[in-house]
Amino acid sequence: MIELENVAYSYGGGELFSEISLKLAPGSFHFLTGPSGAGKTTFLKLCYGALQPTDGQLRLFGADLRDMSRDDVALCRRRIGVVHQDCQFLDHLPVAENVALPLTVSGQDRPEELANLTDLMSWVGLTERANALPPELSGGERQRVALARALIMSPEVILADEPTGNVDWEMSQRLMRLLIELNRMGKTVVIATHDLGLIRATKAHVQSRVLRISNRRMQLAGADL
Ligand SMILES: Nc1ncnc2c1ncn2[C@@H]1O[C@H](COP(=O)(O)OP(=O)(O)O)[C@@H](O)[C@H]1O
Ligand SMILES: [Mg+2]
């Protein structure tokens, strides 16, 4: 689905990372870890075509990113749901409208698609908060709104950037259970987190691989995590 071959990225200073070769297969579950500043967010941006590798090849759903037009990239992006690290919402719009925004923006807010919204709000446990405004939400609620918004277009791939930032342990576990459930439904999942404790606690419940960025390289972490 997403394939990298010898990928490097640099923002202009030194190289952030290089020689990354990796396939994110359909239905796979990956954790992405590494210290703050290692390049986790940058790596995810490459995976959804927001950045072009400065070297190497990146294929999204079989097509080389370099050969893709803006429209091609936009079509690919619809197949990828992103939970951003700083989940930003439109504060004057109720939660349900924020979740539905990708539908509204793409003109797909017909009743049958909006039925999906009701299911999704219930699945993330936010039915009762549908009419709340984003500033009224707790950290855990915000993260679940961000997850629901990433899922509203029924993407095949979910990229979650620190989805458990600013939430307590119990809520982290709950969010992880949702992501595992999505993977069981066949979605490809990548979770960037610097929280090794959370990875250890989650790993037991899902067949997964742990990718670690350190010293400008990406390695597969072993059992000694
Ligand atoms: N737009 C940008 N321009 C220049 N440098 C950036 C930009 N975004 C991130 N960086 C730098 O790249 C490094 C990796 O950032 P990031 O991918 O956000 O790491 P992580 O998510 O692992 O904390 C950091 O040193 C950061 O300051
Ligand atoms: Mg980050």
Side-chain angles (χ1 to χ4, degrees), residues 17-215:
F17 46 63
S18 62
E19 294 178 32
I20 296 187
S21 295
L22 177 75
K23 275 186 194 170
L24 300 175
S28 60
F29 192 109
H30 287 86
F31 293 100
L32 172 63
T33 191
S36 178
K40 301 180 292 297
T41 297
T42 304
F43 178 81
L44 293 182
K45 285 182 176 167
L46 288 164
C47 288
Y48 62 89
L51 295 174
Q52 282 268 6
T54 42
D55 200 7
Q57 194 190 40
L58 176 67
R59 281 188 297 276
L60 291 184
F61 305 104
D64 190 322
L65 188 61
R66 285 173 298 202
D67 302 332
M68 289 162 71
S69 67
R70 283 171 66 117
D71 286 350
D72 294 337
V73 177
L75 283 175
C76 277
R77 296 267 297 263
R78 287 201 189 176
R79 300 168 70 180
I80 304 174
V82 184
V83 182
H84 294 277
Q85 190 163 3
D86 50 344
C87 39
Q88 284 172 0
F89 306 116
L90 296 178
D91 284 347
H92 61 286
L93 289 183
V95 163
E97 284 184 42
N98 269 281
V99 172
L101 210 58
L103 285 177
T104 320
V105 169
S106 60
Q108 296 177 69
D109 49 346
R110 293 180 291 267
E112 56 273 27
E113 270 114 10
L114 288 172
N116 186 16
L117 174 65
T118 313
D119 290 346
L120 194 52
M121 293 291 287
S122 143
W123 186 72
V124 295
L126 285 173
T127 304
E128 258 126 61
R129 304 296 274 150
N131 296 317
L133 293 175
E136 299 162 11
L137 301 177
S138 70
E141 286 170 340
R142 288 180 76 80
Q143 294 293 357
R144 282 178 286 145
V145 174
L147 180 59
R149 186 178 56 183
L151 292 172
I152 191 76
M153 303 290 277
S154 306
E156 295 150 63
V157 182
I158 315 292
L159 306 176
D161 198 357
E162 307 275 359
T164 60
N166 293 319
V167 305
D168 61 28
W169 180 250
E170 204 174 308
M171 183 55 70
S172 302
Q173 302 277 83
R174 186 168 167 190
L175 283 159
M176 286 295 153
R177 281 198 296 275
L178 292 174
L179 289 159
I180 290 174
E181 204 175 315
L182 286 169
N183 180 247
R184 296 212 169 113
M185 293 187 235
K187 306 216 188 261
T188 309
V189 175
V190 182
I191 302 170
T193 177
H194 63 271
D195 188 345
L196 292 180
L198 186 68
I199 297 180
R200 288 190 200 104
T202 313
K203 244 162 64 97
H205 304 286
V206 61
Q207 199 186 341
S208 60
R209 295 202 298 174
V210 182
L211 307 167
R212 178 162 36 205
I213 308 178
S214 70
N215 300 322

